[in-house]
Amino acid sequence: MSRPRLLEVGAFGALLNLSLGLSLGLGCAPVTSPPPPAKPPPTSDVAIGRVQDPQRMLEEFAEDFLADYFARHPVIATASGEHQHDGRWPDLSAEGRTETDAWVELRLDELAAIPREALGPEGRIELDTIRNQLELARFEAEVERRWVNDPLAYSTLISMGLDDLLSRDFAPLEERAADLAERLEGLPELLAQARANLSDAKAIRRPHAEVAVTQLGGVRELIEVTIPERTAALDDASEVHARFEAARGPALAALTELENQLRDALPRAEGQWRLGAEAFATKLALTLQSDLTADELVTLAAAEHERVRRDMAKLSRELYAAMFGERALARVGSDDDAIVRAVLAELAADHPRPEDLRDAAEANLERLDRFVREGELVPMDEREVLEVIWTPPHAQGVAIAGLAAPAPLDADTPGLPSFYLVQPLPASWGAELRESFLREYNSFMLEILSIHEAIPGHFVQLYWGKREPSKVRRVFPNGAFVEGWAVYTERVMVEAGYAGAGPDPKSDKRPKGVSRALWTVQTDPALRAKAIRLHGLKFYLRTVTNAILDHEIHAGSMSREQAIELMVERSFQERGEAEGKWVRAQLTSAQLSTYFVGATAWFRLRERAEARPNFSLLDFHAAALSHGAPPVHRLPELMGWE
């Protein structure tokens, strides 16, 4: 089984971005070898009487940049599908950070020497992508300084560094196990550096530390249980087994030291996890790669929030009349929120049991695939494989679901599956919170979630995206493109009339415990389609709300109570979902805005495409998905519209 890099729901967001951010900010050379020396600036071609082709300059720079980048960030290299550094960890020391900071500045200077205006559309986007990543690294180093305040970035880095070698079948088990043993042997030194960096308890961000402690428990299980299970097929006399045995004790002891340090630090942890308005605006611009400002974004989101609420009210009135009768609707009167809540509450009773969440998500996939193909909505490739699994313990705590796609540079390795990850409900939750969460992710909402994460959302976009020729753009996709596509496809499916699955047609008797109102919807395809559309609007309203939360929490001072009120009272979310989102909003910044910004860009691009002659939805999607994942507003120049 392989579990490549995670896209949340995501959380692409959530887990991968945490470790990418840490690795960029700390950046550094591997523990097991000295850092590569900073390279002197290249001799100017003009100075020696040559004029070099700008595209060739960019290609040479991009190749050199990626080689250096992967050497400095071996865990990200593995996650990206570059396997020259699979046995190594990054160096998290002060010396390593200083050297990498100098490397970032040198690379930015070198990049500035390439004449951007002389490049074609593809070249300009490649250059902009590299510069954006370097500027994000500078921001991490100068502003966020996560190596001293964010334990979650370390736990994510460690779990990725071990699990990506263990569970992704990009090479024979013997090769991956040898690299895994080397990383396990190097783990005590990595953890010692983490403890030193996190030594100031007051600087630590409490929300990040709380989740990190849970994830480190998952790392312990990975070392104690999962590694022996997954490597059991190796010869008992293998040298790797002996290396695992020798390395396991010191690694677990070092892990315990970090866990104890974080638990001791929690009562004193006062690190500021809110970015502040200025820093948030800077990070948002770098994350979105858009000219849209933070203030403009929250203004757009607030207006869209009200529009979606009106659409939900209109649709809920139609469903209420069908479910309860016109007279009942008249008695409710003009209270739109009451009608929306009544309809959602009735539909929410149709939900799986906690232990059946994974199976329920899996059951949607064949139906979604068939609907997309028959409707010629999005180009599909039957050779691609998708499986549904529970989220591993060491990756839990951030998002309910995610899509783990094969590493972008492993695209030529045949048979690597993608995984639709479903997180089990936390054991610590009481019965009321568990029921609230299940009502949020009822059968109608699971259809929308499966569209977003799987078909035709993340799963489909990512397997087309990995065929982009540019290695740089495969390794550094635009998050708003990726998340925006997944949100956009929710609307595509709803507009096409997707109705999900009804009850067994052989049984025309209403099951015990199912209300007449719910049964009316379940047995009528047109009403089911409306119910899914209503949940699509609710899910989209969550997208809009995420952008508001992101801004008001990190650029403002929104409290937990205010956030919960916005989500539950104004956005129709269940309490369990709202509680989980509050945690996630503290852990991440700027990422929650990518959904709304990206979706808005996709909606506008679709409108522009429909205004062109001979519009075909399938052809439009095929053309748009053939360029990897650049900022959506850059697609027209790539598609020859400009």
Side-chain angles (χ1 to χ4, degrees):
M1 180 190 303
S2 83
R3 192 202 62 77
R5 63 188 202 162
L6 176 68
L7 263 194
E8 166 288 340
V9 8
F12 190 133
L15 296 181
L16 181 61
N17 284 354
L18 283 172
S19 62
L20 279 174
L22 175 72
S23 196
L24 276 168
L26 300 179
C28 317
V31 166
T32 52
S33 64
K39 299 178 182 179
T43 303
S44 167
D45 289 302
V46 175
I48 60 176
R50 292 200 304 265
V51 178
Q52 188 173 343
D53 173 61
Q55 182 61 34
R56 181 59 181 162
M57 291 173 67
L58 177 63
E59 291 171 0
E60 292 176 354
F61 179 90
E63 183 178 357
D64 199 38
F65 164 77
L66 273 183
D68 259 7
Y69 175 81
F70 286 142
R72 292 164 184 277
H73 310 104
V75 172
I76 303 305
T78 302
S80 299
E82 169 54 66
H83 299 296
Q84 293 185 44
H85 313 286
D86 281 353
R88 298 156 57 194
W89 293 108
D91 176 2
L92 309 185
S93 69
E95 295 80 5
R97 294 196 302 272
T98 298
E99 199 278 333
T100 291
D101 290 347
W103 177 80
V104 168
E105 296 303 322
L106 175 63
R107 286 307 198 185
L108 282 168
D109 288 344
E110 292 176 353
L111 200 62
I114 301 174
R116 182 183 183 278
E117 66 282 357
L119 298 169
E122 300 276 358
R124 289 194 297 270
I125 289 177
E126 177 130 337
L127 185 148
D128 293 345
T129 299
I130 297 172
R131 182 175 56 205
N132 193 77
Q133 292 303 316
L134 289 167
E135 289 178 349
L136 269 172
R138 176 195 278 167
F139 178 85
E140 284 274 354
E142 295 179 355
V143 180
E144 291 201 278
R145 296 173 54 82
R146 293 170 61 199
W147 63 89
V148 300
N149 59 41
D150 185 358
L152 182 57
Y154 290 94
S155 64
T156 304
L157 185 73
I158 293 166
S159 65
M160 283 182 62
L162 298 176
D163 187 58
D164 279 354
L165 290 173
L166 182 67
S167 61
R168 291 176 47 216
D169 303 325
F170 57 81
L173 178 59
E174 291 79 4
E175 294 179 21
R176 292 182 286 112
D179 290 324
L180 181 62
E182 186 176 350
R183 278 200 177 150
L184 201 60
E185 291 161 348
L187 190 55
E189 183 177 352
L190 180 79
L191 289 164
Q193 292 176 343
R195 293 196 304 275
N197 292 339
L198 296 168
S199 59
D200 182 359
K202 292 186 68 174
I204 292 175
R205 301 173 180 177
R206 181 190 294 270
H208 299 70
E210 290 172 342
V211 176
V213 168
T214 300
Q215 285 198 351
L216 289 172
V219 173
R220 177 176 297 280
E221 181 179 331
L222 183 67
I223 295 172
E224 291 182 321
V225 179
T226 311
I227 288 178
E229 287 179 349
R230 300 278 183 84
T231 58
L234 295 174
D235 188 337
D236 289 340
S238 167
E239 177 189 352
V240 172
H241 278 305
R243 292 175 67 187
F244 282 150
E245 288 299 316
R248 185 175 297 116
L252 290 171
L255 194 66
T256 298
E257 289 185 60
L258 179 57
E259 289 176 298
N260 291 340
Q261 179 176 320
L262 292 178
R263 288 193 180 96
D264 291 343
L266 275 172
R268 295 171 289 156
E270 300 176 358
Q272 180 54 260
W273 49 266
R274 297 182 196 268
L275 275 184
E278 184 177 351
F280 177 77
T282 300
K283 185 174 182 180
L284 187 71
L286 292 170
T287 300
L288 300 178
Q289 300 176 57
S290 166
D291 292 334
L292 187 68
T293 69
D295 289 342
E296 290 170 341
L297 170 56
V298 75
T299 299
L300 284 173
E304 185 73 341
H305 193 275
E306 291 306 311
R307 186 194 68 78
V308 178
R309 281 173 48 84
R310 291 193 297 271
D311 286 354
M312 289 183 69
K314 180 177 184 297
L315 184 57
S316 293
R317 285 184 172 276
E318 296 174 11
L319 281 165
Y320 195 101
M323 295 165 70
F324 302 106
E326 293 287 352
R327 290 184 179 180
L329 177 61
R331 287 195 296 269
V332 177
S334 60
D335 190 342
D336 286 342
D337 279 10
I339 293 173
V340 173
R341 292 186 189 285
V343 172
L344 289 175
E346 197 71 27
L347 298 176
D350 183 356
H351 67 71
R353 298 175 302 175
E355 62 271 24
D356 295 333
L357 270 173
R358 191 209 68 82
D359 291 345
E362 185 174 42
N364 293 334
L365 300 185
E366 182 179 352
R367 184 168 58 254
L368 289 168
D369 181 88
R370 183 171 61 252
F371 187 87
V372 170
R373 292 178 190 276
E374 291 177 355
E376 296 186 333
L377 301 178
V378 173
M380 301 286 288
D381 187 339
E382 65 276 3
R383 296 170 298 177
E384 297 290 340
V385 179
L386 177 63
E387 299 175 14
V388 186
I389 65 173
W390 292 113
T391 305
H394 56 83
Q396 294 175 14
V398 179
I400 175 59
L403 195 286
L409 301 186
D410 279 334
D412 295 334
T413 304
L416 291 181
S418 295
F419 292 93
Y420 178 2
L421 306 179
V422 179
Q423 182 165 281
L425 270 63
S428 60
W429 282 8
E432 184 177 349
L433 191 55
R434 292 166 71 85
E435 176 64 16
S436 171
F437 189 86
L438 291 169
R439 290 178 63 82
E440 178 74 16
Y441 288 97
N442 59 66
S443 297
F444 301 103
M445 185 64 92
L446 279 176
E447 295 276 11
I448 299 295
L449 184 66
S450 296
I451 291 169
H452 180 107
E453 296 299 335
I455 301 171
H458 284 321
F459 169 58
V460 176
Q461 183 271 314
L462 288 171
Y463 70 61
W464 290 119
K466 71 184 180 181
R467 302 172 195 192
E468 160 60 40
S470 166
K471 289 177 67 174
V472 165
R473 285 167 52 193
R474 271 183 279 161
V475 172
F476 301 114
N478 177 260
F481 180 107
V482 175
E483 295 298 353
W485 167 262
V487 175
Y488 163 75
T489 61
E490 298 162 21
R491 184 178 295 187
V492 169
M493 295 292 280
V494 166
E495 288 176 343
Y498 180 69
D504 186 345
K506 297 179 182 178
S507 174
D508 57 0
K509 184 177 180 181
R510 176 164 56 93
K512 184 178 180 181
V514 175
S515 70
R516 292 185 182 277
L518 178 58
W519 185 246
T520 299
V521 174
Q522 290 175 332
T523 54
D524 185 327
L527 291 178
R528 283 204 314 273
K530 285 188 176 184
I532 289 175
R533 182 184 167 204
L534 179 64
H535 283 82
L537 286 170
K538 178 181 174 180
F539 207 59
Y540 176 57
L541 186 63
R542 185 191 302 180
T543 288
V544 179
T545 304
N546 284 350
I548 297 172
L549 289 170
D550 201 21
H551 184 279
E552 297 300 332
I553 287 171
H554 288 286
S557 58
M558 177 178 273
S559 67
R560 174 182 175 277
E561 291 72 22
Q562 290 171 325
I564 297 295
E565 193 276 338
L566 172 63
M567 288 184 277
V568 174
E569 301 303 326
R570 297 283 298 160
S571 307
F572 307 110
Q573 296 178 24
E574 292 283 344
R575 183 82 184 196
E577 166 64 21
E579 294 284 359
K581 186 57 62 62
W582 168 249
V583 172
R584 181 175 168 191
Q586 296 172 90
L587 300 179
T588 66
S589 55
Q591 194 273 333
L592 282 176
S593 296
T594 60
Y595 301 84
F596 174 61
V597 172
T600 300
W602 274 105
F603 298 148
R604 290 174 177 172
L605 185 73
R606 164 80 170 271
E607 290 176 1
R608 188 170 173 182
E610 288 175 331
R612 293 175 62 81
N614 303 316
F615 171 76
S616 158
L617 187 62
L618 182 64
D619 290 345
F620 162 62
H621 289 154
L625 291 176
S626 69
H627 296 283
V632 182
H633 71 276
R634 305 287 296 272
L635 276 175
E637 58 185 300
L638 296 175
M639 296 165 69
W641 293 4
E642 295 180 351

